[in-house]
């Protein structure tokens, strides 16, 4: 039997790319009588692709593969990166509230916080990735900016390393150490009807509904609805949280085409939320207060409301090629009354000020692409091409109280009446003007070459990216800074399969960042926009897949220009280099036991600093050792009962570039249990979890924003229980 070869000429490939931009749905074959058409096997897919979701790995906590941008879904053994793809089963059993709770399982990731707010910030390989740089089904900028509820997602895919070629430049300048892609929920093949009720320490109540149905001949059409609400106090004294989440996902799998669409909304409100802590320049490191202590002022509040939607289509072309198109948009609004503390001595005395701000965002984004195979002699090719665009517009205004502030203490907080915030203002809080606009566009082409009976995979690619950035005066709305720049981002990688269960890989990749925007307390160039800059990465690794458990090891080196404040001027003055080793384990090594974890060692060095003062010292907020050990055990003799435990260790790190303010290392232990049974002929799942079992007091992170080493206090012991009933 001969193998049919598909010859895709450059002209045909270019034509197919154009088709991807214009075709939204079409049959891949001439019309025939329905009785002659083979039955379509429906496999729920988050991205309207023929590939569907990669299967779960043994143990069900991670998946066998994940999305690599224009390359599509790729198996872990064929991926020239180190990545982990966390499943919905893990999210449910750990009662994860947000994406931050999920990535706590990752030894290469630590969770920090945005500068002066409560934004979840993910430190991947020691570099910050903000929640607004998190992708939703491959598109940036669509998700809520500060907090992303897990009710919106089916999987959390963590791809480590700089890879602007894969998805394009992240709109907020992250993705140097890696990226996070969230996959939306889709209706499964079997009817899904679940109601969950739960409660947490502090009196936080929780309720959620998850419904999924497939309709029509062969179940081609699917609908998935999720509604969730949280409300009440948290484990931190006097801190309140209210969250409302709504999402609708629909999909249709036709003959020769696939469609999907999502719409979602999230309202999130924090009251008296505990702020970050900044140490004065000469203040020594202070001991962490009690983990349940709250030094927030009672009049502080943080509110965000976001609505977003996406639509995606994939069309089968002649010869087995596929074309796709996707569009998305988000409208968001945030309002904050904040007050953080700057500690001035070892006794915890400090000053606080009031900072109000309002922000409104409008985002539009999209991509088109095509992917097809061809053969040249003994070499197989998988060619991919894509075009993407991103447009965002932000309206901002702020107001501050007297810079002298008022006194308080992190150990014995003192509440004061809310001071006036009219001392220093920028823009109109009632009607903010446009203060920034960004337009990103790119064209990418890639070729994955398969040689020697598919034992060698060579990946080559190039993305041409253009960034336009505009800054506007807060008070007048007049343009005060702008730039337009373009950059070619190359990518090269090789995977060599030594055996079916063992592969090695190496890659060279780059990260392209939007230029930083000058911000910070009392700086003289507030709002100045800087030109984009490039980070360069080299990585090599090895992967082993026994079929029941997997192991991986990777070494990497990434350099990044760094920005910070010097003499009240914010600028790009230096360079940071992070080098490290990653070891990971996952799967089901013995019956009834699931494991997940690993070790990451990082050497984060300030290679170029202002005046050479801190040259050679450790970068802010990057621990040298990060260790995660997780296990989930089915209890023998008790059907349906599983116990789980997770230990997270983080070594010492510094809160200042001079390395004089050193955070102690910390270890946290989390325990949980899941019991699956039936009640009145209904499926019933009971879950219980205790995070920070020992109720340890520690500083969880330092910094995350360039040149700033603000501290975030760990959450206290938190107990969460829930019951899920299936109908």
């Amino acid at each position: 039997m001969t193998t049919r070869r598909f010859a895709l000429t450059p002209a045909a490939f270019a034509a197919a790319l154009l088709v991807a931009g214009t075709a939204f749905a079409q049959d891949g074959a001439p019309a025939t009588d329905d009785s002659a058409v083979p039955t379509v096997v429906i496999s729920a897919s988050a991205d309207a692709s023929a590939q569907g979701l990669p299967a779960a790995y043994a143990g069900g906590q991670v998946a066998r593969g994940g999305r690599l941008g224009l390359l599509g879904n790729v198996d872990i053994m064929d991926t020239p990166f180190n990545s982990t793809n966390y499943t919905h089963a893990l999210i449910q059993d750990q009662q994860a509230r947000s994406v931050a709770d999920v990535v706590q399982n990752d030894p290469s990731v630590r969770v920090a916080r945005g500068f002066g707010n409560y934004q979840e910030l993910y430190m991947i390989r020691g570099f910050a990735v903000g929640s607004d740089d998190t992708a939703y089904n491959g598109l940036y900028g669509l998700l809520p900016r500060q907090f992303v509820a897990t009710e919106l997602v089916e999987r959390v895919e963590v791809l480590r390393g700089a890879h602007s070629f894969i998805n394009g430049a992240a709109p907020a300048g992250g993705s140097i150490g890696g990226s996070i892609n969230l996959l939306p929920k889709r209706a499964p093949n079997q009817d899904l009807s679940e109601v969950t009720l739960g409660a947490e320490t502090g009196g936080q109540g929780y309720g959620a509904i998850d419904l999924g149905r497939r309709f029509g001949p062969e179940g081609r059409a699917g609908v998935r609805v999720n509604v969730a609400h949280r409300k009440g106090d948290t484990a931190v004294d006097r801190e309140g949280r209210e969250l409302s989440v709504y999402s609708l996902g629909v999909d249709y799998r036709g003959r020769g085409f696939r469609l999907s669409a999502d719409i979602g909304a999230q309202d999130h409100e924090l009251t008296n939320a505990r702020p970050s802590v900044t140490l004065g320049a000469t203040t020594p490191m202070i001991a962490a207060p009690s983990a349940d202590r709250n030094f927030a002022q009672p009049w502080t509040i943080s509110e965000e409301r976001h609505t977003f939607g996406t639509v995606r289509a994939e069309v089968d072309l002649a010869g087995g090629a596929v074309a796709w198109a996707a569009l998305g948009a988000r409208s968001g609004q945030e309002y904050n009354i904040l007050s953080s503390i700057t500690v001035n001595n070892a006794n915890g005395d400090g000053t606080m000020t009031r900072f109000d701000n309002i922000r409104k965002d409008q985002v539009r984004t999209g991509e088109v692409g095509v992917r097809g195979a061809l053969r040249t002699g003994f070499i197989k090719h998988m060619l991919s091409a894509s075009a993407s665009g991103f447009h965002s517009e932000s309206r901002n205004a702020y107001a501050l109280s007297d810079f002298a502030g008022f006194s308080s203490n992190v150990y014995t907080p003192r509440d004061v009446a809310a001071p006036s915030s009219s001392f220093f203002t920028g823009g109109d809080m009632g009607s903010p003007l446009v203060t920034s606009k960004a337009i990103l566009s790119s064209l990418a082409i890639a070729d994955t070459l398969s040689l020697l009976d598919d034992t060698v995979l060579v990946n080559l690619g190039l993305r041409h990216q253009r960034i336009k950035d505009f800054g506007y005066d807060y008070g007048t709305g007049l343009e005060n800074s702008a730039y337009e720049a373009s950059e070619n981002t190359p990518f090269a990688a090789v995977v060599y399969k030594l055996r079916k269960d063992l592969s090695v890989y190496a890659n060279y990749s780059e990260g392209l960042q939007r230029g930083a925007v000058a911000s910070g307390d009392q700086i003289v160039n507030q709002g100045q926009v800087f030109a984009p800059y490039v980070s360069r990465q080299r990585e090599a690794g090895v992967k082993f897949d026994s079929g029941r458990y997997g192991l991986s090891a990777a070494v990497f080196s990434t350099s990044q220009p760094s920005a910070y404040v010097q003499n009240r001027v914010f600028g790009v003055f230096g360079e940071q280099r992070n080098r490290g080793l990653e070891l990971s384990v996952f799967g089901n090594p013995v019956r009834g036991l699931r494991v997940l974890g690993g070790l990451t060692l990082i050497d984060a060095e300030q290679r170029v600093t202002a005046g050479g003062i801190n040259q050679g010292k450790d970068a802010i907020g990057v621990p040298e050792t990060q260790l995660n050990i997780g296990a989930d055990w089915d209890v023998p003799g008790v059907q349906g009962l599983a116990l789980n435990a997770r230990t997270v260790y983080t070594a010492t790190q510094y809160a200042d570039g001079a390395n004089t303010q050193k955070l102690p290392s910390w270890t946290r232990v989390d325990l949980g249990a899941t019991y699956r049974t039936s009640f009145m002929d209904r499926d019933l799942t009971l879950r219980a979890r205790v995070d920070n079992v020992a109720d340890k007091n520690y500083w969880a992170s330092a910094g995350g924003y360039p040149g700033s080493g603000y501290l975030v206090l760990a959450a206290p012991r938190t107990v969460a229980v829930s019951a899920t009933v299936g109908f």
Side-chain angles (χ1 to χ4, degrees):
M1 185 177 73
T2 59
T3 301
R4 181 184 177 186
R5 299 181 179 180
F6 167 46
L8 183 63
T9 65
F13 194 66
L17 179 57
L18 293 177
V19 170
T22 57
F24 190 74
Q26 74 177 52
D27 274 339
T32 63
D33 183 83
D34 282 349
S35 63
V37 178
T39 299
V40 175
V41 178
I42 302 300
S43 177
S45 169
D47 58 0
S49 73
Q51 297 172 309
L53 283 178
Y57 196 82
Q61 296 182 319
V62 300
R64 280 213 58 91
R67 181 189 178 97
L68 285 185
L70 77 163
L71 303 181
N73 287 327
V74 182
D75 186 86
I76 52 175
M77 298 299 285
D78 297 338
T79 302
F81 289 101
N82 195 8
S83 61
T84 306
N85 310 290
Y86 299 99
T87 65
H88 188 241
L90 175 78
I91 294 170
Q92 280 190 314
D93 285 346
Q94 294 189 352
Q95 299 187 75
R97 309 164 194 84
S98 71
V99 173
D101 291 336
V102 180
V103 299
Q104 293 278 13
N105 294 284
D106 200 302
S108 294
V109 183
R110 286 298 181 261
V111 178
R113 182 182 284 177
F115 181 70
N117 56 33
Y118 303 101
Q119 181 186 38
E120 289 188 345
L121 195 71
Y122 319 113
M123 301 293 292
I124 306 179
R125 290 183 172 178
F127 293 109
V129 178
S131 55
D132 41 2
D133 274 345
T134 300
Y136 185 67
N137 210 4
L139 297 178
Y140 286 125
L142 297 180
L143 293 163
R145 269 187 13 97
Q146 298 204 29
F147 178 94
V148 182
T150 54
E151 288 81 7
L152 295 170
V153 302
E154 177 72 23
R155 288 185 179 175
V156 177
E157 300 181 334
V158 178
L159 180 61
R160 305 177 187 92
H163 52 269
S164 289
F165 162 76
I166 295 294
N167 289 309
S175 297
I176 298 303
S179 70
I180 296 175
N181 181 49
L182 307 182
L183 296 182
K185 293 181 177 180
R186 292 285 175 261
N189 296 330
Q190 303 297 323
D191 287 353
L192 173 68
S193 302
E194 290 185 347
V195 174
T196 301
L197 297 176
E200 294 182 14
T201 301
Q204 182 91 189
Y206 172 69
I209 299 173
D210 189 354
L211 302 174
R213 293 288 186 276
R214 302 210 71 85
F215 302 97
E218 302 165 348
R220 293 175 180 273
V223 177
R224 185 79 175 265
V225 177
N226 278 264
V227 179
H229 186 71
R230 296 181 184 272
K231 187 175 182 179
D233 290 344
T234 73
V236 176
D237 183 40
R238 298 185 303 141
E239 183 179 85
R241 178 191 300 271
E242 183 171 2
L243 172 73
S244 297
V245 180
Y246 314 90
S247 71
L248 170 66
V250 298
D251 68 284
Y252 184 81
R253 297 180 67 84
R255 298 184 179 97
F257 69 94
R258 291 150 297 278
L259 306 172
S260 70
D262 298 275
I263 186 169
Q266 178 181 288
D267 293 352
H268 189 217
E269 179 178 329
L270 300 172
T271 53
N272 306 338
R274 184 169 62 196
S276 304
V277 174
T278 299
L279 299 178
T282 59
T283 306
M285 178 54 60
I286 62 173
S290 173
D292 63 356
R293 180 63 50 86
N294 194 352
F295 31 84
Q297 291 298 317
W299 34 265
T300 53
I301 191 171
S302 178
E303 299 176 345
E304 59 164 343
R305 295 180 174 87
H306 299 271
T307 303
F308 61 91
T310 68
V311 62
R312 181 176 288 268
E314 184 180 86
V315 182
D316 296 334
L317 304 175
V322 295
W324 73 88
L327 296 172
R330 174 175 65 91
S331 176
Q333 178 171 322
E334 302 170 29
Y335 175 70
N336 300 287
I337 301 177
L338 307 171
S339 183
S340 58
I341 184 168
T342 298
V343 174
N344 301 317
N345 56 44
N347 297 323
D349 296 320
T351 58
M352 305 182 77
T353 56
R354 173 178 173 176
F355 175 76
D356 299 358
N357 78 293
I358 187 170
R359 173 175 176 144
K360 297 181 179 181
D361 291 317
Q362 296 291 331
V363 174
R364 302 188 305 274
T365 183
E367 66 170 357
V368 296
V370 64
R371 186 182 308 114
L374 63 81
R375 184 188 288 268
T376 56
F378 62 90
I379 301 176
K380 299 177 185 176
H381 300 262
M382 180 61 70
L383 293 174
S384 305
S386 71
S388 66
F390 176 91
H391 181 282
S392 69
E393 183 177 279
S394 295
R395 298 173 179 267
N396 289 268
Y398 62 89
L400 292 88
S401 64
D402 188 335
F403 293 147
F406 51 91
S407 62
S408 189
N409 186 287
V410 293
Y411 304 116
T412 56
R414 183 169 69 91
D415 293 345
V416 302
S420 171
S421 60
S422 59
F423 177 77
F424 188 83
T425 62
D428 183 352
M429 290 287 291
S431 181
L433 301 175
V434 174
T435 54
S436 65
K437 184 186 296 184
I439 302 172
L440 285 68
S441 59
S442 69
L443 294 170
I445 187 166
D447 186 5
T448 299
L449 299 87
S450 300
L451 304 91
L452 303 177
D453 294 327
D454 299 333
T455 59
V456 176
L457 303 176
V458 178
N459 296 267
L460 300 173
L462 183 70
R463 184 180 291 269
H464 178 74
Q465 306 189 70
R466 182 170 296 276
I467 298 177
K468 299 179 182 180
D469 229 328
F470 305 90
Y472 303 87
D473 185 87
Y474 277 69
T476 65
L478 298 176
E479 183 180 304
N480 58 15
S481 62
Y483 71 77
E484 179 177 346
S486 62
E487 188 74 33
N488 291 320
T489 305
F491 171 66
V494 61
V495 177
Y496 178 32
K497 299 179 182 180
L498 299 169
R499 303 192 313 240
K500 183 178 179 181
D501 60 355
L502 184 66
S503 65
V504 295
Y505 73 91
N507 71 56
Y508 171 80
S509 187
E510 295 184 355
L512 179 64
Q513 292 180 268
R514 278 180 60 194
V517 179
S519 61
D521 292 337
Q522 304 181 45
I523 65 172
V524 297
N525 60 333
Q526 184 82 30
Q528 181 181 347
V529 180
F530 290 84
Y533 40 83
V534 174
S535 296
R536 294 174 173 83
Q537 172 195 281
R538 295 165 180 83
E539 177 181 340
V542 58
K543 300 178 183 181
F544 173 75
D545 174 16
S546 75
R548 298 200 59 83
Y549 65 90
L551 304 170
S552 69
V555 291
F556 62 89
S557 177
T558 308
S559 60
Q560 177 197 35
S562 57
Y564 47 86
V565 177
Q566 176 180 303
N567 298 324
R568 296 183 62 194
V569 176
F570 183 99
V572 181
F573 301 122
E575 180 184 274
Q576 176 179 331
R577 184 188 64 190
N578 291 12
R579 298 185 298 183
L581 167 68
E582 294 170 331
L583 303 174
S584 298
V585 60
F586 53 88
N588 186 194
V590 297
R591 186 171 182 177
L593 178 66
R594 293 162 292 280
V595 297
L596 180 63
L599 170 70
T600 298
L601 305 176
I602 305 177
D603 174 22
E605 179 186 350
Q606 301 176 75
R607 299 193 69 194
V608 179
T609 63
I613 297 175
N614 296 325
Q615 214 141 295
K617 296 184 178 180
D618 288 354
I620 292 174
V622 185
E624 291 185 352
T625 304
Q626 299 174 177
L627 174 67
N628 287 51
I629 303 174
D632 196 309
W633 176 57
D634 295 332
V635 178
V638 186
Q639 186 175 357
L641 178 62
L643 305 178
N644 62 76
R646 179 178 65 190
T647 298
V648 181
Y649 168 78
T650 301
T652 58
Q653 56 188 294
Y654 292 100
D656 67 324
N659 291 180
T660 60
Q661 299 168 335
K662 187 176 184 179
L663 283 69
S665 62
W666 55 267
T667 302
R668 192 183 89 189
V669 177
D670 307 325
L671 299 176
T674 300
Y675 182 52
R676 292 179 171 86
T677 184
S678 61
F679 178 73
M680 298 180 66
D681 294 327
R682 304 295 183 188
D683 292 334
L684 173 65
T685 303
L686 303 176
R687 297 182 176 92
R689 186 165 185 84
V690 184
D691 287 336
N692 191 5
V693 171
D695 200 25
K696 286 196 171 184
N697 311 318
Y698 60 91
W699 297 114
S701 66
Y705 189 80
S708 299
Y710 49 91
L711 310 177
V712 177
L713 186 61
R717 180 192 298 122
T718 303
V719 179
V721 295
S722 69
T724 300
V725 180
F727 294 93

